[in-house]
Amino acid sequence: MSGFTPLLFAYVFTAVFLAGIVRGATGFGFSMIMIVLLTLFFPPAQVAPVILFWEVLASIGHLPFVYKQVHWKSLRWLALGVALGTPFGVYCLVSIPVDAMRLIINAVVLILTSMLYCGLRPKNAPTPPQTTGVGLLAGVINGASANGGPPIILFFLSSPLGAAVGRASLIAFFLFTDVWASLFYWQQGLISLDTIIFTLVFMVPMFGGMWFGNRWFSTVDEARFRKVVLALLMIISVVGLVKAL
């Protein structure tokens, strides 16, 4: 991996480890943290495929333990929307200038995490077309930044399914969306040998962080922990916006 100084390596190592803790404890947050922190130093088109690969590996390691809790009925409609929205998102990633893409990514993360932090909930249960629309939005964002989680997180946090079912469903959903998006990244020439090396080098801190996060899941106050994570994401997004401007 060219361009890595010891300080930058330590920064990425620490960021991946901390994001892994969040992913292990809540089932979400990894991409949101990593896309904001890494685009401070790398172009979005370079790090988005790496984050996708990390998410795929994380979900493969996580899903066997939560498979029975997944709400597959919702995921079918969400997956349809993602399948339709992802190609357009990837087109945006390769077409929009780097600084503009950084600005868009951080703005989207800030808006959606603020909605989550404030506890925004729909009044009624979503219909299949509405659920597909949520998936469409997530697909566009995921294709453009490997960060399609916020709309889906909002969807499951606002449902009556419960924390464990929502967490399991998020893990299954991210596996599908990230594999799907990676196919379009490959088609656009965004995946290279450096992408694979970048992914593999930082797998250890990611899985180490997930291990800690999984152990904490049954003991921490999940609502309070979620608030802390979302507040941190908002702060990071503001920093990213300032840098992009």
Side-chain angles (χ1 to χ4, degrees):
M1 295 184 299
S2 58
F4 268 84
T5 64
L7 186 61
L8 183 57
F9 185 93
Y11 169 83
V12 175
F13 188 99
T14 303
V16 172
F17 178 74
L18 294 176
I21 292 176
V22 174
R23 176 64 147 76
T26 67
F28 69 88
F30 183 86
S31 293
M32 287 187 285
I33 293 172
M34 293 313 304
I35 193 65
V36 173
L37 291 179
L38 292 187
T39 51
L40 292 174
F41 299 97
F42 301 94
Q46 179 181 352
V47 296
V50 175
I51 295 171
L52 276 185
F53 284 165
W54 282 334
E55 283 281 14
V56 169
L57 293 171
S59 295
I60 289 173
H62 218 162
L63 187 58
F65 300 99
V66 297
Y67 180 85
K68 294 182 179 179
Q69 296 172 309
V70 175
H71 194 257
W72 295 105
K73 183 178 180 180
S74 296
L75 291 189
R76 288 198 295 269
W77 294 107
L78 291 170
L80 174 61
V82 169
L84 297 173
T86 299
F88 178 72
V90 175
Y91 173 79
C92 292
L93 178 64
V94 298
S95 303
I96 298 175
V98 171
D99 287 339
M101 199 67 223
R102 285 193 177 113
L103 187 64
I104 293 170
I105 288 170
N106 284 282
V108 168
V109 172
L110 179 59
I111 292 169
L112 293 176
T113 50
S114 298
M115 292 167 63
L116 291 171
Y117 187 86
C118 294
L120 182 66
R121 293 170 179 266
K123 294 181 179 180
N124 302 310
T127 63
Q130 290 171 335
T131 303
T132 303
V134 173
L136 182 69
L137 177 61
V140 172
I141 298 173
N142 201 54
S145 66
N147 185 35
I152 308 302
I153 295 164
L154 181 60
F155 176 87
F156 281 112
L157 290 184
S158 63
S159 76
L161 297 173
V165 173
R167 177 172 176 258
S169 301
L170 286 169
I171 291 166
F173 176 80
F174 291 147
L175 179 57
F176 166 74
T177 57
D178 294 330
V179 169
W180 181 247
S182 67
L183 297 178
F184 290 94
Y185 281 20
W186 186 280
Q187 182 186 42
Q188 292 293 332
L190 296 174
I191 297 174
S192 64
L193 180 59
D194 279 348
T195 305
I196 306 301
I197 295 173
F198 199 150
T199 302
L200 295 178
V201 167
F202 294 101
M203 279 178 55
V204 172
M206 181 189 71
F207 280 115
M210 286 180 58
W211 182 81
F212 278 105
N214 271 313
R215 295 197 56 161
W216 282 1
F217 179 67
S218 59
T219 60
V220 299
D221 182 338
E222 187 184 358
R224 182 177 298 177
F225 183 70
R226 185 186 299 126
K227 287 281 189 179
V228 171
V229 171
L230 292 173
L232 177 62
L233 280 168
M234 286 188 283
I235 294 170
I236 293 171
S237 298
V238 170
V239 173
L241 278 171
V242 172
K243 188 176 186 296
L245 291 172

PDB file of all heavy atoms in Angstrom, residues 92-108:
ATOM      1  N   CYS A  92     -22.704   7.914  -9.644  1.00  0.00           N
ATOM      2  CA  CYS A  92     -22.380   9.174  -8.965  1.00  0.00           C
ATOM      3  C   CYS A  92     -20.959   9.146  -8.419  1.00  0.00           C
ATOM      4  O   CYS A  92     -20.226  10.140  -8.503  1.00  0.00           O
ATOM      5  CB  CYS A  92     -23.370   9.429  -7.829  1.00  0.00           C
ATOM      6  SG  CYS A  92     -25.059   9.789  -8.365  1.00  0.00           S
ATOM      7  N   LEU A  93     -20.563   7.998  -7.853  1.00  0.00           N
ATOM      8  CA  LEU A  93     -19.233   7.882  -7.251  1.00  0.00           C
ATOM      9  C   LEU A  93     -18.125   8.124  -8.264  1.00  0.00           C
ATOM     10  O   LEU A  93     -17.124   8.787  -7.965  1.00  0.00           O
ATOM     11  CB  LEU A  93     -19.070   6.491  -6.618  1.00  0.00           C
ATOM     12  CG  LEU A  93     -17.706   6.174  -5.979  1.00  0.00           C
ATOM     13  CD1 LEU A  93     -17.445   7.098  -4.791  1.00  0.00           C
ATOM     14  CD2 LEU A  93     -17.651   4.716  -5.535  1.00  0.00           C
ATOM     15  N   VAL A  94     -18.283   7.591  -9.474  1.00  0.00           N
ATOM     16  CA  VAL A  94     -17.225   7.714 -10.475  1.00  0.00           C
ATOM     17  C   VAL A  94     -17.341   8.997 -11.293  1.00  0.00           C
ATOM     18  O   VAL A  94     -16.415   9.355 -12.014  1.00  0.00           O
ATOM     19  CB  VAL A  94     -17.226   6.495 -11.428  1.00  0.00           C
ATOM     20  CG1 VAL A  94     -16.962   5.216 -10.662  1.00  0.00           C
ATOM     21  CG2 VAL A  94     -18.542   6.393 -12.201  1.00  0.00           C
ATOM     22  N   SER A  95     -18.468   9.704 -11.180  1.00  0.00           N
ATOM     23  CA  SER A  95     -18.690  10.882 -12.014  1.00  0.00           C
ATOM     24  C   SER A  95     -18.527  12.204 -11.278  1.00  0.00           C
ATOM     25  O   SER A  95     -18.155  13.211 -11.885  1.00  0.00           O
ATOM     26  CB  SER A  95     -20.104  10.824 -12.624  1.00  0.00           C
ATOM     27  OG  SER A  95     -20.284   9.647 -13.367  1.00  0.00           O
ATOM     28  N   ILE A  96     -18.796  12.230  -9.985  1.00  0.00           N
ATOM     29  CA  ILE A  96     -18.770  13.481  -9.218  1.00  0.00           C
ATOM     30  C   ILE A  96     -17.352  13.737  -8.713  1.00  0.00           C
ATOM     31  O   ILE A  96     -16.692  12.818  -8.224  1.00  0.00           O
ATOM     32  CB  ILE A  96     -19.766  13.412  -8.042  1.00  0.00           C
ATOM     33  CG1 ILE A  96     -21.198  13.250  -8.581  1.00  0.00           C
ATOM     34  CG2 ILE A  96     -19.672  14.656  -7.160  1.00  0.00           C
ATOM     35  CD1 ILE A  96     -22.242  13.053  -7.510  1.00  0.00           C
ATOM     36  N   PRO A  97     -16.837  14.972  -8.801  1.00  0.00           N
ATOM     37  CA  PRO A  97     -15.487  15.291  -8.316  1.00  0.00           C
ATOM     38  C   PRO A  97     -15.292  14.927  -6.841  1.00  0.00           C
ATOM     39  O   PRO A  97     -16.249  14.904  -6.062  1.00  0.00           O
ATOM     40  CB  PRO A  97     -15.396  16.813  -8.517  1.00  0.00           C
ATOM     41  CG  PRO A  97     -16.363  17.101  -9.619  1.00  0.00           C
ATOM     42  CD  PRO A  97     -17.484  16.123  -9.455  1.00  0.00           C
ATOM     43  N   VAL A  98     -14.033  14.648  -6.463  1.00  0.00           N
ATOM     44  CA  VAL A  98     -13.711  14.133  -5.129  1.00  0.00           C
ATOM     45  C   VAL A  98     -14.223  15.046  -4.022  1.00  0.00           C
ATOM     46  O   VAL A  98     -14.893  14.592  -3.083  1.00  0.00           O
ATOM     47  CB  VAL A  98     -12.182  13.936  -4.992  1.00  0.00           C
ATOM     48  CG1 VAL A  98     -11.817  13.625  -3.539  1.00  0.00           C
ATOM     49  CG2 VAL A  98     -11.722  12.812  -5.910  1.00  0.00           C
ATOM     50  N   ASP A  99     -13.913  16.351  -4.080  1.00  0.00           N
ATOM     51  CA  ASP A  99     -14.316  17.250  -3.007  1.00  0.00           C
ATOM     52  C   ASP A  99     -15.837  17.354  -2.896  1.00  0.00           C
ATOM     53  O   ASP A  99     -16.396  17.399  -1.791  1.00  0.00           O
ATOM     54  CB  ASP A  99     -13.721  18.646  -3.229  1.00  0.00           C
ATOM     55  CG  ASP A  99     -12.223  18.683  -2.949  1.00  0.00           C
ATOM     56  OD1 ASP A  99     -11.743  17.780  -2.222  1.00  0.00           O
ATOM     57  OD2 ASP A  99     -11.541  19.589  -3.451  1.00  0.00           O
ATOM     58  N   ALA A 100     -16.515  17.383  -4.030  1.00  0.00           N
ATOM     59  CA  ALA A 100     -17.976  17.429  -4.016  1.00  0.00           C
ATOM     60  C   ALA A 100     -18.546  16.143  -3.419  1.00  0.00           C
ATOM     61  O   ALA A 100     -19.522  16.172  -2.659  1.00  0.00           O
ATOM     62  CB  ALA A 100     -18.512  17.637  -5.430  1.00  0.00           C
ATOM     63  N   MET A 101     -17.908  15.007  -3.733  1.00  0.00           N
ATOM     64  CA  MET A 101     -18.369  13.729  -3.193  1.00  0.00           C
ATOM     65  C   MET A 101     -18.174  13.676  -1.687  1.00  0.00           C
ATOM     66  O   MET A 101     -19.036  13.179  -0.953  1.00  0.00           O
ATOM     67  CB  MET A 101     -17.602  12.580  -3.868  1.00  0.00           C
ATOM     68  CG  MET A 101     -18.283  11.233  -3.736  1.00  0.00           C
ATOM     69  SD  MET A 101     -19.825  11.201  -4.669  1.00  0.00           S
ATOM     70  CE  MET A 101     -20.899  10.391  -3.506  1.00  0.00           C
ATOM     71  N   ARG A 102     -17.041  14.202  -1.194  1.00  0.00           N
ATOM     72  CA  ARG A 102     -16.814  14.271   0.250  1.00  0.00           C
ATOM     73  C   ARG A 102     -17.904  15.097   0.924  1.00  0.00           C
ATOM     74  O   ARG A 102     -18.423  14.741   1.985  1.00  0.00           O
ATOM     75  CB  ARG A 102     -15.437  14.881   0.542  1.00  0.00           C
ATOM     76  CG  ARG A 102     -14.257  13.955   0.296  1.00  0.00           C
ATOM     77  CD  ARG A 102     -12.997  14.550   0.907  1.00  0.00           C
ATOM     78  NE  ARG A 102     -11.851  13.652   0.744  1.00  0.00           N
ATOM     79  CZ  ARG A 102     -10.797  13.906  -0.019  1.00  0.00           C
ATOM     80  NH1 ARG A 102     -10.753  15.029  -0.715  1.00  0.00           N
ATOM     81  NH2 ARG A 102      -9.803  13.052  -0.109  1.00  0.00           N
ATOM     82  N   LEU A 103     -18.230  16.216   0.305  1.00  0.00           N
ATOM     83  CA  LEU A 103     -19.247  17.107   0.858  1.00  0.00           C
ATOM     84  C   LEU A 103     -20.597  16.406   0.922  1.00  0.00           C
ATOM     85  O   LEU A 103     -21.300  16.460   1.952  1.00  0.00           O
ATOM     86  CB  LEU A 103     -19.349  18.364  -0.011  1.00  0.00           C
ATOM     87  CG  LEU A 103     -20.240  19.494   0.501  1.00  0.00           C
ATOM     88  CD1 LEU A 103     -19.702  20.063   1.792  1.00  0.00           C
ATOM     89  CD2 LEU A 103     -20.344  20.599  -0.557  1.00  0.00           C
ATOM     90  N   ILE A 104     -20.976  15.731  -0.140  1.00  0.00           N
ATOM     91  CA  ILE A 104     -22.260  15.025  -0.187  1.00  0.00           C
ATOM     92  C   ILE A 104     -22.305  13.916   0.847  1.00  0.00           C
ATOM     93  O   ILE A 104     -23.295  13.759   1.585  1.00  0.00           O
ATOM     94  CB  ILE A 104     -22.507  14.459  -1.603  1.00  0.00           C
ATOM     95  CG1 ILE A 104     -22.708  15.607  -2.599  1.00  0.00           C
ATOM     96  CG2 ILE A 104     -23.722  13.534  -1.602  1.00  0.00           C
ATOM     97  CD1 ILE A 104     -22.716  15.157  -4.046  1.00  0.00           C
ATOM     98  N   ILE A 105     -21.230  13.122   0.927  1.00  0.00           N
ATOM     99  CA  ILE A 105     -21.191  11.999   1.870  1.00  0.00           C
ATOM    100  C   ILE A 105     -21.380  12.485   3.302  1.00  0.00           C
ATOM    101  O   ILE A 105     -22.206  11.961   4.071  1.00  0.00           O
ATOM    102  CB  ILE A 105     -19.867  11.227   1.732  1.00  0.00           C
ATOM    103  CG1 ILE A 105     -19.849  10.426   0.429  1.00  0.00           C
ATOM    104  CG2 ILE A 105     -19.666  10.277   2.929  1.00  0.00           C
ATOM    105  CD1 ILE A 105     -18.495   9.836   0.096  1.00  0.00           C
ATOM    106  N   ASN A 106     -20.601  13.501   3.684  1.00  0.00           N
ATOM    107  CA  ASN A 106     -20.683  13.990   5.054  1.00  0.00           C
ATOM    108  C   ASN A 106     -22.032  14.636   5.351  1.00  0.00           C
ATOM    109  O   ASN A 106     -22.562  14.508   6.461  1.00  0.00           O
ATOM    110  CB  ASN A 106     -19.543  14.972   5.322  1.00  0.00           C
ATOM    111  CG  ASN A 106     -18.209  14.285   5.510  1.00  0.00           C
ATOM    112  OD1 ASN A 106     -17.926  13.734   6.567  1.00  0.00           O
ATOM    113  ND2 ASN A 106     -17.376  14.297   4.479  1.00  0.00           N
ATOM    114  N   ALA A 107     -22.596  15.338   4.375  1.00  0.00           N
ATOM    115  CA  ALA A 107     -23.902  15.959   4.566  1.00  0.00           C
ATOM    116  C   ALA A 107     -24.987  14.903   4.766  1.00  0.00           C
ATOM    117  O   ALA A 107     -25.846  15.035   5.652  1.00  0.00           O
ATOM    118  CB  ALA A 107     -24.240  16.852   3.377  1.00  0.00           C
ATOM    119  N   VAL A 108     -24.949  13.840   3.963  1.00  0.00           N
ATOM    120  CA  VAL A 108     -25.940  12.765   4.085  1.00  0.00           C
ATOM    121  C   VAL A 108     -25.820  12.082   5.440  1.00  0.00           C
ATOM    122  O   VAL A 108     -26.826  11.831   6.124  1.00  0.00           O
ATOM    123  CB  VAL A 108     -25.773  11.746   2.935  1.00  0.00           C
ATOM    124  CG1 VAL A 108     -26.594  10.492   3.209  1.00  0.00           C
ATOM    125  CG2 VAL A 108     -26.191  12.361   1.611  1.00  0.00           C
TER     126      VAL A 108
END
